[in-house]
Amino acid sequence: MRLRVLNFGTVSAIRSQAVYHGLAYNMAEDDAPVLSLCSPDAPYVCIGVHQEISLEVDEDYCQRHDLAIYRRHVGGGAVFLDHNQLFTHFIYPRKKAPEYAVNMYPRFIEPVVRTYRDFGIEAEYRPINDIHVRGRKIGGTGAASMGEATVMAGSFMFDFDTDSMSKCLKVPSEKFRDKLKSGLDDYMTTIVKQLDRPPSRDDLLQCFFGHCGECLGVEPAMDEPSK
């Protein structure tokens, strides 16, 4: 089965969310599956489909620092996103994807885990939808149904701004915010923290495409979005 690879490169913050939503909602049941890739050119805050902004995000801080707040149609919590994350979105017609999330997560996470390992990062799948390196989180994933498509969202974590993450979330006190920052520093890891010489994005993606073929039984093929 052909896997259309659409590498959008660096895009605006809103486009980094819009591209995979648009691809998913325009997918027909007989279309080839798609892997979309992009990174935002500006930082922003993204909240899950079921969250309330007023309860999760410090809107005053975001306004003062020109941080847009966008809602995605995928679950999970509020997160700070910027150019240091390379977003990956597998977009499949529903009949071509695993029926249940419990089967979907390990299947689509495996190519990411193998890619990290190729570069010396001891990544492993941690159920139900995370990737860890010796007990520290290097990535999470989310799944959703959008129109006729099933979407599996993830990323490669080159770096992560724990300071901004702790400041853009709504917390009960500044003391709690300090503890949140410390907890994120202890719990999160990144490619930059793991490797003295991180790979280029092009090198990482070439490995990733190979593992997508092995793990998913597809033939990745670079393509352009249709109009």
Side-chain angles (χ1 to χ4, degrees), residues 117-137:
R117 289 177 179 171
D118 278 351
F119 293 98
I121 297 174
E122 298 176 21
E124 60 183 4
Y125 167 57
R126 179 172 178 179
I128 183 173
N129 61 338
D130 285 343
I131 302 170
H132 278 220
V133 179
R134 297 190 299 276
R136 302 177 73 186
K137 183 175 177 178

Side-chain angles (χ1 to χ4, degrees), residues 8 13 44 53 61 63 68 78 85 98 111 168 181 185 194 211 226:
F8 293 92
Y44 65 97
I53 294 176
Y61 175 85
Q63 185 174 27
Q85 290 101 51
C168 70
K181 168 68 163 59
D185 286 335
Q194 290 292 318
H211 290 306
S226 55

